[in-house]
């Protein structure tokens, strides 16, 4: 049983004030992704920042970052269409025009900490259809049981590539499910037959839930998007210590990390 390890180096919320090792600029992100690839990550989940470090869907910045990564390693690129809470949906959805191998699809609006994450149903359906047209594999971000149901409705309307469906079970966002094993198990049990899934455990429970997900046969994500700390009170010195820790956990459970080629095959990624 292999584990697909995704690095999420940046995210939409944290700043260098929260952790000075957060990569925000294209060359910084590319260096961190390359280091993650070298310790076993097969997928890079990307958010972009402008010159002032604010979240952006700017296509030039996105293209530059993806190119810098491609110069360094063949890791699979997954662009976040979540982008940032203040970025309009029309800008977010344009990122899939770059035709990354994968992109996230957030099916529902929700509270997100003190803010709102707006994913109106008609916009989500349009983005799903466009990703389907472009051959961009969706990673479905589910923060609650109703989000899974929304994805199944999109599938039933023929708007999703369901061979196989790929889910991120997101735990620990204030506004979504709390980060505990009970919620993770509930979601895993509800997934459709044949689905591929990973856990995204935000905050303090990141380490424990990553371990539980590996034990259950799931995939995992590691990086500063999900936790800024290696352990309580100790900021992670970049993404590599978090990615290494997840890789070590997979090794301890005897679940080898999936290579890029194995991940492409597992997810039936359309070739480029
Ligand atoms: N930031 C995570 C809570 C996305 O980028 O589309 C969820 C996430 C979603 O990674
Ligand atoms: Zn993200």
């Amino acid at each position: 049983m292999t584990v697909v390890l995704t690095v999420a180096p940046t995210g939409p919320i944290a700043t260098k004030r929260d952790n000075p090792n957060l990569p925000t600029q294209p060359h910084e992100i590319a260096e961190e992704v390359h280091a993650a690839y070298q310790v076993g990550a097969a997928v890079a989940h990307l958010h972009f920042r402008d010159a002032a470090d604010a979240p952006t869907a700017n296509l030039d910045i996105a293209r530059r970052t993806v190119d810098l990564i491609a110069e360094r390693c063949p890791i699979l690129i997954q662009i976040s269409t979540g982008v940032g809470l203040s970025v309009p949906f029309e800008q977010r959805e344009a990122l899939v025009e770059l035709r990354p191998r994968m992109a996230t699809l957030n099916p529902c609006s929700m509270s997100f900490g003190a803010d709102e994450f707006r994913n109106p149903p008609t916009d989500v359906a349009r983005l799903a259809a466009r990703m389907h047209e472009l051959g961009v594999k969706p990673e479905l971000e589910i923060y609650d049981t109703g989000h899974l149901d929304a994805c199944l409705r999109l599938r039933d309307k023929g708007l999703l590539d369901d061979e196989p469906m790929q889910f991120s079970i997101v735990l620990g966002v204030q506004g979504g499910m709390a980060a505990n094993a009970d919620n993770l198990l509930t979601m895993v049990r509800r997934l459709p037959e044949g689905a591929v899934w990973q856990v995204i455990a935000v905050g303090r429970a990141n380490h424990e839930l990553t371990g539980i997900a590996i034990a259950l046969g799931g995939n995992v994500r590691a990086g500063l998007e999900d936790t800024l700390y290696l352990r309580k009170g100790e900021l992670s010195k970049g993404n590599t210590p978090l990615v290494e820790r997840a890789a070590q956990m997979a090794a301890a459970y005897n679940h080898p990390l999936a290579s890029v080629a194995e991940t492409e095959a597992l997810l039936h990624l359309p070739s480029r």
Side-chain angles (χ1 to χ4, degrees), residues 45 47 80 221 225:
H45 168 85
H47 290 253
S80 166
R221 180 166 116 164
E225 173 162 352

